[in-house]
Amino acid sequence: MKERIELGLLYSRSGSYSLISEACRSGVLGAIAKINADPDMPLSFVAVERDPQGNADAYGPLCEEILRDSSARHVIGCVTSWSRKEVIPTLERAGGTLWYTIPYEGFEASDHVVYTHACPNQHLLPLLGWAFARLGRRGYLMGSNYIWGWEMNRLAREVISGAGGEVLGERYLPLGALEIERLIAEIRATRPDFVLNNLIGPSQYAFLEAYHRLGQEDAHFRPETCPILSCNLTECELPAIHPDAAEGLVAAGPYFRGVRGWPDGGQNFGSSHEAAAYLAVHRLVRLLSGHAGAARESLSQLLAHAPGGSEGIDLATHHTQLPVLIAQVENGAFVPRERFAPVAGDPYLAHGREAILQGASSLRVVS
């Protein structure tokens, strides 16, 4: 008889980032189905799901509801850093753990969070290093007006300036805003070597389509001379973007559809969001299967006592080692352009920036 363990799910199925949420949710539910169907697995999961509906203020109360009204101690969820930070105090009070499966801006470590997707030394720094070597060091920075955009652009500004480059502009839009004319006008006037896009959701989609039109008017703004760079756009959002507008977009991530080498091997996931969520559930079930009473332990106890090891989760920061790829949209799909050796998550950049910026850990160029 399998031990049944309740597992919290906290993803918004509507709102400006619902496509990302649905990709993560698909990964979680797919992993639960596989685990529950495996007769050799001693545990089965029962999903306890809540939907914040894109309202950042709902995440904390709904996370509290999961932890209060069920036996779940682990919650997989949240997309924005805003929502992640909203649930951490609740997790601290209740002794719960969030498994966060989205790329984020770094500079955080919590005893109650496992960060299973990329942080800046695994996405932004390799991406900028790739751009510096091929395009130049004059960048235009933009983002949605909240934590992700602020912190990603702050770090990008430091890195570009430190490399002798120049930031030609930096602008922010409210979440969901579609008024992108000023961004386009400034980019047209400043003529950067690349545009770093930290917009999310509909703002991003509107910008990409407007930028494509700009490229049709002026050849400088085509992908071969001034591409858009992104650390969070994956295949799950391409259906929301006109195919022509997505062509040439360059992104960094630990996985792109069809690429081999993902830690849980074999699966052909739709995006890195789905892949990270799927792997998080499998890591968790292996940790919980290690010994009796594991489901009631804190995250630090669980990682310290696991007979099979910590599942690649750093005991100090709770980040993971991940592959690093640079890919570009070509004929509607991401095509890898460069691969780096797997990189350990370093949220505070304690080990420096130079090696990955210079591509010292590069395995091979595949373009």
Side-chain angles (χ1 to χ4, degrees):
M1 178 70 69
K2 289 190 174 193
E3 179 184 0
R4 289 165 57 86
I5 294 179
E6 291 186 307
L7 175 64
L9 269 72
L10 193 59
Y11 287 116
S12 290
R13 305 198 66 190
S14 57
S16 61
Y17 43 86
S18 59
L19 291 174
I20 299 173
S21 293
E22 289 291 356
C24 294
R25 183 174 178 271
S26 176
V28 173
L29 295 179
I32 289 175
K34 185 171 183 179
I35 289 164
N36 291 356
D38 185 350
D40 296 325
M41 189 65 69
L43 308 178
S44 66
F45 283 127
V46 178
V48 179
E49 188 166 13
R50 297 294 184 273
D51 180 0
Q53 299 181 337
N55 178 6
D57 294 333
Y59 279 85
L62 289 177
C63 183
E64 182 177 9
E65 185 176 304
I66 291 172
L67 297 173
R68 183 191 65 227
D69 297 345
S70 77
S71 62
R73 296 297 91 191
H74 295 267
V75 177
I76 300 183
C78 299
V79 168
T80 66
S81 288
W82 186 356
S83 61
R84 186 187 69 254
K85 290 180 183 294
E86 285 291 317
V87 306
I88 288 176
T90 298
L91 297 163
E92 291 172 342
R93 290 192 297 271
T97 297
L98 174 71
W99 291 73
Y100 188 64
T101 63
I102 298 293
Y104 90 113
E105 67 281 348
F107 297 93
E108 180 182 294
S110 169
D111 288 338
H112 296 271
V113 182
V114 180
Y115 306 82
T116 68
H117 210 296
C119 63
N121 77 304
Q122 297 165 314
H123 53 54
L124 179 62
L125 299 191
L127 184 59
L128 288 177
W130 184 91
F132 291 169
R134 291 159 181 80
L135 303 166
R137 305 188 179 200
R138 300 167 66 253
Y140 186 95
L141 314 180
M142 61 182 188
S144 292
N145 194 23
Y146 83 117
I147 299 164
W148 164 262
W150 303 334
E151 286 298 300
M152 289 289 285
N153 286 339
R154 176 190 62 79
L155 181 56
R157 188 167 60 248
E158 292 178 4
V159 170
I160 292 169
S161 298
E166 185 180 3
V167 174
L168 302 178
E170 181 175 343
R171 293 291 176 187
Y172 297 89
L173 292 180
L175 286 168
L178 303 179
E179 296 76 29
I180 44 76
E181 294 80 7
R182 185 176 181 182
L183 295 176
I184 293 294
E186 286 196 349
I187 291 168
R188 183 197 293 267
T190 55
R191 305 183 75 79
D193 298 323
F194 60 86
V195 176
L196 180 63
N197 162 39
N198 289 307
L199 297 168
I200 67 166
S203 301
Q204 176 171 223
Y205 313 151
F207 174 80
L208 289 170
E209 294 185 12
Y211 190 80
H212 172 66
R213 292 193 294 272
L214 176 61
Q216 291 178 311
E217 298 169 8
D218 186 333
H220 174 77
F221 300 103
R222 293 175 185 166
E224 57 270 22
T225 48
C226 184
I228 297 171
L229 311 182
S230 176
C231 293
N232 66 337
L233 196 146
T234 72
E235 293 91 340
C236 71
E237 294 187 275
L238 290 182
I241 306 165
H242 189 282
D244 292 341
E247 281 294 296
L249 177 110
V250 180
Y255 173 87
F256 291 95
R257 186 181 298 163
V259 171
R260 297 183 181 275
W262 181 247
D264 220 30
Q267 295 279 336
N268 187 18
F269 299 102
S271 68
S272 64
H273 299 316
E274 181 184 345
Y278 181 94
L279 181 56
V281 179
H282 278 272
R283 280 179 163 143
L284 176 58
V285 78
R286 288 192 290 265
L287 288 171
L288 295 178
S289 301
H291 58 282
R296 296 185 296 276
E297 291 186 336
S298 68
L299 176 60
S300 58
Q301 291 172 327
L302 188 62
L303 296 177
H305 298 162
S310 64
E311 285 292 323
I313 301 165
D314 184 90
L315 296 178
T317 70
H318 299 155
H319 289 65
T320 55
Q321 178 171 286
L322 292 169
V324 176
L325 296 95
I326 310 296
Q328 189 167 25
V329 178
E330 181 180 314
N331 296 323
F334 279 104
V335 176
R337 300 303 190 203
E338 188 165 2
R339 306 181 187 200
F340 296 83
V343 176
D346 182 15
Y348 295 100
L349 301 179
H351 303 295
R353 310 170 181 179
E354 291 75 14
I356 195 70
L357 273 172
Q358 295 168 1
S361 58
S362 179
L363 290 178
R364 64 190 180 101
V365 178
V366 296
S367 57

